Amino acid sequence: MESSDEDEDFSCHIGIIPQSKINSLHQSHTEKGIRKLCCELLDLKDSVENLCGNTRAKYLAFLRLSEEVVEMEHELSELRKHISAHGILIQDLESGVFCEIDEWIKAGNQEDVPESQISEFNDLSSKDDFDVKKIFLEDIDILLAEHKVLDALEALNMEEKSSPELRSAGDMNVPYKSEFLKRKASLEDQLVKFSAQPSVGDVELKQALSGLQKLGKGSMAHQILLKKYASRLQKRVEASVPLCSLYLETYPATFSKIIFSFISLAAKESHSTFGDDPVYTNKVVQWAEEEIESFVRLVKEHGPLSETTTALRAASVCVEASLRNCTILEVQGIKLSKLLMVLLKPYMEEVLEMNFRRAKRVFLDITENDGCLLLSPRFFSPLSVFASSSDDVLISSGLKFISIIKDIVEQLTPLAILQFGANLLGRVVQLFDCYVDLLTKALPSPSEDDGITELKEALPFKAETDSQQIAVLGVANSVVDDLLPMAVSTIWNVKMETHDPTIGSHESISPIGGHAIEFKDWRRQLQHSLDKLRDHFCRQYVLTFIYSREGKARLEARIYVDGEGEDFLWSSDPLPSLPFQALFARLQQLATVAGDVLLGKEKLQKALLARLTETIVMWLSAEQEFWSVFEDGSVPLKPFGLRQLILDMHFTVEIARFAGHSSRQVLQLASGIIARAVKTFAARGIDPQSTLPEDEWFSEAAKAAINKLLLVASGSEASETEEHAVLHQHIVSDSEDSISCASTADSFHSFVSAETDLDSPSHVSPSRVIEPVLFS
């Protein structure tokens, strides 16, 4: 106690509250709060219990009330039946009384009846008839007010069948008929409003439409049916539109399934409600055509960019899904495939066009590093043989081109291929032509303005040597022969499967207008582009060979004019002129290079060497500067020049024959050159008959010259004359500007590996005049 007093005194003096007082103070506040909270919770509990009790009592009252309503409805129904039975009984009683009175009057007892009674009877009869009609109209009004349209419809139909007044096409001013038609129009309005409600079910809708049809409004009912399905279809499509951005490739199939399913349902409902009436069937078809047009617009509006492969895939899926859905509708007698393809064709062609434009831009940008190409190993194999003789960029360009084509083809579905495969193959040919232009620019060009201006900028690869240039030809040929057929094999496989029941059994999915392309025709178009590349190579090769030489080794008219002191060679073994000897050596070298680079492509090797031989003869035939020297009167001509020119032409023909690539064109061009030379020299006073030996002599001399040059080239003829050694030295020195290769003897082994005969006689007649083919 003393200590507590001291604490109180201390607290009063210095203003410090003891801890014990603080604890007691907080404890009292906490207890008060808890007590208050408990009281509030108890009050809340009582309120909840009261609410639950009231709700339960009200629910039980509601159930009792519902039962009473049901009982009341049942009693009203029984009362209505009772009243109806009494009404029928009274009507039958009145009808019986009236019938007996009629019979009694007709029986001859009318004179016993006063006229006043007869008049009263007639008034009563008409009044009763009026009352029956009035009651009937009132009943109809009640049924319409209660929206019992089916009961009202049945009553109206029965009344119309039993009443002659209503069936007759008489005056519309009859009061009862006018009122009857008003009720009928009101019923029609109710049926139309009922069928237009969004919540109406299929069964109720069908009943309403049947009612309209019974009222003679079949056309209106059918129109309401189509509007109902169109409205449902619109809501379904609008709900699916947001998904287009998530499923860019498959959204057309979703739209197609929705639209064609609604068309099918509408057609079935029309058939079940209105029968096989052609009028209604045509209306369904017209409505379906309008929906198909909306479907195509919808696909275009929500599709991705036309130049992407995603857009091509989406368009192909659209064609595939829509055509297959069309085949299902054909069972119901609705043919929409032709209209569908007419609408989809411009869209599909636009997407194809934009994709191939993008493809052209991509592969022309060959400096872009594409990384690893997504191709299977079988696509790398045909070009791997050129890896050692060409630049890696050349190989990559071919693989890149094939990768682009394959990527486009893989986006097409079978039915899209069936419809637009020919279009795609045509565009592949155009794209390959651009690729050939690219490769052409990689080859040397004899003039700056020759070739493709679009690719005139510096290319990352340039074919300088013979092996590189031949590798360019080999890559292009491998692309056509090996890679492109693999890349577009899906198209030809689909064409072979068109007889399959799942694809080709329906007329609706056959190609539009019968457009198709045969593999041979397509391959011929590609070969035309290859021929352009090969002709460019041969032309620049020949022109380089001709204009890069000097002196007697250059092919010009002067070598046939300045031939003094050379006649002694004709007494033994004549040889062709130096340019043609050099040509022979150059072709030997090129044959070896082609054999190494184009390994396994003997047909291409022969075609290349044959075209080179044709090109040199074509140039000689068309070069006006060459012939103008002979036609110049100031230039003296000698028989030696004519003999040498004819021997050179025979020598050229024999080269082609022994190398196995002889052609009729070479023979015709050589004959034309000989005929022109004979005519030109004869005009200058030189008699060919006295100057020229027999044709067989030239042919044998050309063959002997080939054998002699082969011996000189192989080094096996050690005792040759100095002139021959000089000639061989000219040939070897001329060939030094080409790449080094194996021995000349080994090179000619491949050059003459396939010896064949000409289609025409081996000799070339100097007197035979043939129109030459102009060099281009």
Side-chain angles (χ1 to χ4, degrees):
M1 294 294 293
E2 293 178 357
S3 62
S4 62
D5 294 338
E6 291 177 358
D7 291 338
E8 291 177 356
D9 294 340
F10 183 78
S11 62
C12 295
H13 287 289
I14 63 177
I16 298 176
I17 302 174
Q19 184 66 36
S20 59
K21 190 174 182 178
I22 293 174
N23 293 338
S24 62
L25 181 64
H26 280 279
Q27 184 176 4
S28 61
H29 285 302
T30 304
E31 290 176 354
K32 291 179 181 179
I34 292 174
R35 290 192 186 97
K36 184 178 180 180
L37 181 61
C38 289
C39 293
E40 291 176 353
L41 289 174
L42 290 174
D43 294 339
L44 182 61
K45 179 181 178 182
D46 294 338
S47 300
V48 171
E49 289 178 352
N50 293 333
L51 179 63
C52 291
N54 293 335
T55 303
R56 190 170 184 179
K58 291 179 180 178
Y59 176 70
L60 294 175
F62 175 76
L63 291 179
R64 287 194 300 271
L65 183 61
S66 299
E67 292 175 357
E68 291 176 359
V69 170
V70 172
E71 292 177 358
M72 185 63 69
E73 288 181 349
H74 180 69
E75 292 177 0
L76 289 175
S77 177
E78 294 293 332
L79 182 60
R80 191 177 290 110
K81 291 180 181 178
H82 183 68
I83 293 172
S84 177
H86 277 280
I88 294 173
L89 181 61
I90 293 171
Q91 289 179 5
D92 292 342
L93 181 60
E94 290 179 352
S95 299
V97 172
F98 289 140
C99 288
E100 289 182 0
I101 292 174
D102 285 340
E103 290 176 358
W104 183 59
I105 293 174
K106 292 177 181 179
N109 299 326
Q110 185 172 2
E111 60 275 6
D112 297 335
V113 181
E115 293 182 2
S116 59
Q117 292 184 4
I118 295 175
S119 176
E120 183 180 354
F121 167 75
N122 292 332
D123 293 340
L124 182 62
S125 176
S126 61
K127 181 179 179 181
D128 184 71
D129 186 51
F130 175 78
D131 291 340
V132 172
K133 294 178 180 178
K134 183 178 180 181
I135 293 172
F136 172 77
L137 294 176
E138 289 176 355
D139 292 341
I140 295 297
D141 290 338
I142 294 173
L143 292 175
L144 292 177
E146 295 177 353
H147 297 287
K148 296 182 178 180
V149 292
L150 297 180
D151 295 339
L153 176 63
E154 184 178 358
L156 288 174
N157 287 336
M158 291 179 62
E159 179 66 14
E160 190 171 14
K161 291 178 181 178
S162 61
S163 175
E165 182 182 357
L166 296 176
R167 292 199 306 269
S168 63
D171 189 4
M172 296 294 295
N173 295 324
V174 177
Y176 177 64
K177 187 171 185 178
S178 176
E179 292 297 326
F180 182 86
L181 292 177
K182 286 181 180 180
R183 269 67 173 181
K184 199 172 182 180
S186 178
L187 176 60
E188 178 184 326
D189 293 339
Q190 282 199 16
L191 288 173
V192 171
K193 291 179 181 179
F194 176 76
S195 60
Q197 293 179 2
S199 60
V200 65
D202 292 338
V203 177
E204 293 82 1
L205 177 63
K206 187 173 182 179
Q207 291 176 350
L209 297 178
S210 299
L212 287 173
Q213 190 177 14
K214 291 178 180 178
L215 291 175
K217 301 295 181 180
S219 178
M220 178 187 295
H222 195 268
Q223 186 177 2
I224 292 174
L225 173 68
L226 295 181
K227 285 184 178 180
K228 197 70 177 179
Y229 275 96
S231 176
R232 293 178 181 178
L233 175 59
Q234 181 66 24
K235 293 179 181 179
R236 184 73 177 276
V237 169
E238 290 176 355
S240 303
V241 165
L243 300 177
C244 293
S245 58
L246 300 178
Y247 305 99
L248 293 176
E249 293 185 356
T250 58
Y251 79 92
T254 303
F255 283 151
S256 176
K257 182 178 179 181
I258 294 173
I259 291 174
F260 279 92
S261 63
F262 270 87
I263 293 175
S264 177
L265 289 174
K268 291 179 180 178
E269 188 66 23
S270 174
H271 175 73
S272 63
T273 306
F274 302 95
D276 293 330
D277 192 337
V279 176
Y280 297 133
T281 303
N282 291 336
K283 288 183 178 181
V284 172
V285 173
Q286 291 175 3
W287 172 75
E289 290 175 351
E290 294 175 359
E291 295 300 330
I292 292 297
E293 293 176 0
S294 301
F295 162 66
V296 175
R297 287 196 300 268
L298 194 67
V299 171
K300 292 180 180 179
E301 290 174 2
H302 297 88
L305 293 177
S306 298
E307 65 177 5
T308 61
T309 54
T310 304
L312 182 58
R313 181 64 181 178
S316 300
V317 168
C318 180
V319 172
E320 180 81 14
S322 301
L323 285 178
R324 292 195 180 278
N325 289 329
C326 281
T327 60
I328 298 175
L329 286 181
E330 284 185 0
V331 180
Q332 300 176 236
I334 302 176
K335 296 182 179 181
L336 299 173
S337 56
K338 291 184 178 179
L339 173 64
L340 176 70
M341 294 315 303
V342 168
L343 297 174
L344 283 179
K345 183 179 179 181
Y347 172 59
M348 188 70 179
E349 289 182 347
E350 176 189 353
V351 174
L352 281 172
E353 175 66 23
M354 297 305 295
N355 267 265
F356 273 92
R357 287 185 182 180
R358 173 189 55 82
K360 182 179 178 181
R361 293 196 304 269
V362 169
F363 91 80
L364 286 182
D365 188 13
I366 55 180
T367 58
E368 181 181 353
N369 185 13
D370 293 324
C372 183
L373 296 173
L374 300 178
L375 291 173
S376 61
R378 63 193 182 104
F379 285 95
F380 290 88
S381 177
L383 297 183
S384 61
V385 296
F386 305 106
S388 60
S389 57
S390 62
D391 195 290
D392 291 339
V393 181
L394 175 62
I395 306 298
S396 299
S397 68
L399 293 175
K400 186 175 183 180
F401 174 77
I402 290 299
S403 176
I404 292 172
I405 297 297
K406 186 172 181 291
D407 189 31
I408 291 177
V409 173
E410 287 178 346
Q411 307 307 318
L412 299 183
T413 58
L415 292 184
I417 290 175
L418 193 62
Q419 295 291 339
F420 301 99
N423 186 301
L424 185 139
L425 290 174
R427 296 181 187 276
V428 169
V429 172
Q430 297 175 6
L431 195 62
F432 179 73
D433 198 59
C434 296
Y435 176 62
V436 166
D437 291 342
L438 175 69
L439 297 181
T440 302
K441 202 60 183 177
L443 296 175
S445 182
S447 62
E448 285 298 326
D449 54 353
D450 182 58
I452 300 91
T453 58
E454 180 182 357
L455 304 172
K456 208 158 187 176
E457 299 297 329
L459 297 175
F461 68 94
K462 195 76 174 177
E464 302 291 347
T465 63
D466 288 352
S467 62
Q468 292 175 343
Q469 294 176 28
I470 293 176
V472 170
L473 300 178
V475 167
N477 194 269
S478 294
V479 167
V480 171
D481 288 344
D482 304 321
L483 300 183
L484 268 181
M486 285 192 293
V488 300
S489 60
T490 306
I491 297 178
W492 306 115
N493 292 339
V494 169
K495 182 181 177 183
M496 296 298 294
E497 294 171 359
T498 52
H499 298 292
D500 184 74
T502 62
I503 296 181
S505 59
H506 295 278
E507 181 183 356
S508 61
I509 59 178
S510 59
I512 301 175
H515 292 168
I517 185 171
E518 296 293 337
F519 180 79
K520 292 182 179 179
D521 298 334
W522 180 67
R523 182 63 177 80
R524 190 180 300 112
Q525 296 175 18
L526 294 174
Q527 186 62 44
H528 179 70
S529 298
L530 277 180
D531 291 343
K532 289 198 308 182
L533 179 64
R534 183 197 61 192
D535 292 346
H536 175 84
F537 166 78
C538 294
R539 182 168 179 261
Q540 64 84 18
Y541 196 89
V542 167
L543 293 179
T544 302
F545 168 77
I546 292 173
Y547 292 108
S548 63
R549 312 178 64 79
E550 300 296 338
K552 292 185 177 182
R554 181 167 182 171
L555 180 56
E556 57 182 359
R558 292 291 178 181
I559 63 175
Y560 302 107
V561 175
D562 303 333
E564 296 180 2
E566 305 251 353
D567 276 347
F568 73 93
L569 292 174
W570 288 85
S571 59
S572 54
D573 297 326
L575 290 174
S577 58
L578 288 179
F580 283 91
Q581 295 182 46
L583 174 65
F584 180 69
R586 177 64 69 88
L587 290 178
Q588 285 181 276
Q589 270 191 338
L590 194 63
T592 299
V593 175
D596 295 337
V597 176
L598 304 177
L599 188 62
K601 295 182 177 293
E602 289 77 9
K603 185 177 179 180
L604 178 59
Q605 298 177 35
K606 292 180 180 180
L608 177 61
L609 296 174
R611 189 59 179 173
L612 278 171
T613 307
E614 292 176 6
T615 303
I616 191 71
V617 183
M618 288 169 64
W619 177 88
L620 194 62
S621 174
E623 183 60 28
Q624 187 57 36
E625 184 179 351
F626 177 86
W627 294 101
S628 63
V629 175
F630 299 139
E631 296 169 356
D632 187 0
S634 61
V635 178
L637 300 180
K638 297 180 179 179
F640 165 78
L642 180 59
R643 292 197 299 269
Q644 187 65 56
L645 179 57
I646 295 176
L647 178 60
D648 289 343
M649 291 301 99
H650 278 272
F651 181 73
T652 304
V653 172
E654 290 300 326
I655 289 177
R657 188 173 72 85
F658 279 103
H661 52 73
S662 58
S663 67
R664 187 182 299 275
Q665 187 173 6
V666 172
L667 180 62
Q668 291 178 346
L669 289 171
S671 299
I673 292 173
I674 292 173
R676 183 175 181 180
V678 170
K679 183 178 179 181
T680 302
F681 274 76
R684 296 289 303 277
I686 297 177
D687 183 15
Q689 300 298 330
S690 61
T691 304
L692 301 178
E694 297 295 330
D695 295 342
E696 290 77 5
W697 182 89
F698 284 105
S699 180
E700 295 299 328
K703 293 177 182 179
I706 288 178
N707 293 330
K708 185 177 292 294
L709 291 175
L710 287 175
L711 292 174
V712 171
S714 62
S716 61
E717 192 173 337
S719 60
E720 279 297 318
T721 61
E722 184 178 353
E723 290 82 3
H724 290 161
V726 173
L727 293 178
H728 179 57
Q729 183 179 359
H730 276 292
I731 298 172
V732 175
S733 64
D734 172 71
S735 303
E736 288 176 354
D737 57 349
S738 300
I739 64 169
S740 59
C741 58
S743 66
T744 311
D746 293 338
S747 67
F748 196 75
H749 175 72
S750 62
F751 187 63
V752 297
S753 59
E755 182 177 333
T756 58
D757 293 328
L758 284 170
D759 296 334
S760 56
S762 61
H763 65 275
V764 182
S765 173
S767 59
R768 181 183 179 188
V769 180
I770 300 178
E771 186 69 24
V773 179
L774 295 179
F775 177 76
S776 57

